[in-house]
């Protein structure tokens, strides 16, 4: 459970249940990663920084409200959806991936951790029909593609301090893909290193696109 204390340092308001749930991620991911490689082998040792803390950067940007609904598009092994579902137990999370074996792992994690606010299904983004308050996503597609998929998936009714939209975790040179977005779009780019000054988060960004 290398660096788990960093999660508790940056989030010092967790309940006993949340602490237990975060600890329980270690065994289940280690176990499933041996069977199905959902996280790269090099990365699994760094689960708490590279995956859990990275996912929770979204919780430093926005507080999802009780009863609201959030879609994690292309969740893979459950990121950012699983850590966010632990952090926001009153919010409903739908974790979607096009690959069945990834969803199988996510469902095992959900069961092991005891999450009651997560639904995980195998779907292509293009075929989704339900509407959500927010869409979260990490390392899935360019902003233009995410925007295209999301246009029909975001509720028009607003319930949060900031307008409904997409919150994408991205790395590297994202300037070009942000430039592709239409001029009238409201886009905000935050450096994750601003929340967590660990070197891993250099060149990592949270991009918020209002829909
Ligand atoms: N978000 C995870 C996984 C990123 S890998 C993480 O950051 O760890 C990208 C994932 O997106 C893959 O699991 C892939 O199956 C999924 N994906 C890509 N295009 C998709 C689409 N059109 N619909 C659903 N899932 C998609």
């Amino acid at each position: 459970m290398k660096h788990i204390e960093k999660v508790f340092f940056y989030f010092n308001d967790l309940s006993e249940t949340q602490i237990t749930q975060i600890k329980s991620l270690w065994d289940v991911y280690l176990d499933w990663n041996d069977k199905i490689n959902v996280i790269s082998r090099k990365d699994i040792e760094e689960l708490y920084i590279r995956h859990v803390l990275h996912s929770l950067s979204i919780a430093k940007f926005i507080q999802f409200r009780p009863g609201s609904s959030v879609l994690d598009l292309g969740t893979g092994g459950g990121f950012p959806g699983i850590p966010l579902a632990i952090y926001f137990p009153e919010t409903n999370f739908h974790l979607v991936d096009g690959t069945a074996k990834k969803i199988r792992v996510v469902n095992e994690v959900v069961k092991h951790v005891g999450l009651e606010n997560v639904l995980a299904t195998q779907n292509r983004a293009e075929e989704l029909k339900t509407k959500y308050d927010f869409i979260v996503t990490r390392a899935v597609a360019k902003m233009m593609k995410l925007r295209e998929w999301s246009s029909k998936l975001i509720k028009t009714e607003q319930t949060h301090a900031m307008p409904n939209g997409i919150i994408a975790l991205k790395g590297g040179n994202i300037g070009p893909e942000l430039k592709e977005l239409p001029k009238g779009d409201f886009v905000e780019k935050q450096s994750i290193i601003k929340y967590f000054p660990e070197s891993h988060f250099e060149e990592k960004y949270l991009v918020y696109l209002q829909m």
Side-chain angles (χ1 to χ4, degrees):
M1 295 205 246
K2 201 173 144 198
H3 301 314
I4 193 170
E5 74 286 351
K6 300 237 180 193
V7 177
F8 301 142
F9 174 77
Y10 290 113
F11 296 91
N12 54 20
D13 55 348
L14 300 172
S15 69
E16 284 304 318
T17 303
Q18 288 169 317
I19 290 171
T20 306
Q21 289 175 327
I22 287 172
K23 288 180 179 165
S24 75
L25 293 174
W26 184 253
D27 287 340
V28 74
Y29 275 114
L30 240 58
D31 185 23
W32 276 93
N33 225 41
D34 278 346
K35 297 180 208 159
I36 300 173
N37 196 23
V38 281
I39 299 175
S40 82
R41 289 189 194 281
K42 181 174 101 229
D43 265 20
I44 190 84
E45 272 287 305
E46 301 290 334
L47 176 74
Y48 285 105
I49 290 187
R50 296 192 186 183
H51 301 286
V52 177
L53 206 50
H54 194 195
S55 298
L56 290 176
S57 63
I58 293 174
K60 293 287 183 197
F61 180 74
I62 185 170
Q63 292 295 298
F64 292 126
R65 302 201 47 169
S68 64
S69 63
V70 176
L71 170 70
D72 179 3
L73 204 49
T75 189
F79 302 102
I82 294 281
L84 290 172
I86 293 174
Y87 193 74
F88 297 106
E90 315 272 347
T91 299
N92 302 307
F93 287 85
H94 187 186
L95 277 49
V96 166
D97 201 281
T99 308
K101 69 171 193 179
K102 303 223 168 151
I103 292 304
R104 196 173 148 223
V105 174
V106 171
N107 276 319
E108 293 294 335
V109 173
V110 165
K111 202 161 67 183
H112 179 83
V113 175
L115 288 168
E116 289 173 0
N117 57 334
V118 175
L119 169 71
T121 61
Q122 182 206 350
N123 290 106
R124 301 285 306 165
E126 298 83 340
E127 70 193 26
L128 294 171
K129 297 226 156 48
T130 315
K131 290 187 195 292
Y132 307 86
D133 295 278
F134 283 90
I135 297 177
V136 296
T137 181
R138 182 179 78 167
V140 175
K142 296 249 164 69
M143 287 311 291
M144 256 326 257
K145 185 47 102 184
L146 293 172
R147 184 186 193 273
E148 185 188 310
W149 286 335
S150 305
S151 59
K152 295 188 298 281
L153 301 175
I154 300 277
K155 290 180 187 171
T156 47
E157 189 196 337
Q158 310 285 345
T159 52
H160 288 71
M162 53 183 93
N164 296 352
I166 307 172
I167 299 167
L169 299 178
K170 296 194 156 277
N173 181 18
I174 58 169
E177 68 177 281
L178 295 185
K179 278 207 192 79
E180 285 170 16
L181 292 166
K183 289 273 174 291
D185 279 10
F186 179 89
V187 192
E188 198 177 321
K189 176 180 144 188
Q190 303 276 346
S191 295
I192 294 180
I193 201 132
K194 187 182 91 178
Y195 306 127
F196 314 131
E198 335 295 322
S199 61
H200 176 67
F201 297 115
E202 275 164 26
E203 305 277 301
K204 293 212 162 43
Y205 306 97
L206 177 157
V207 178
Y208 164 51
L209 174 64
Q210 282 184 15
M211 295 293 289

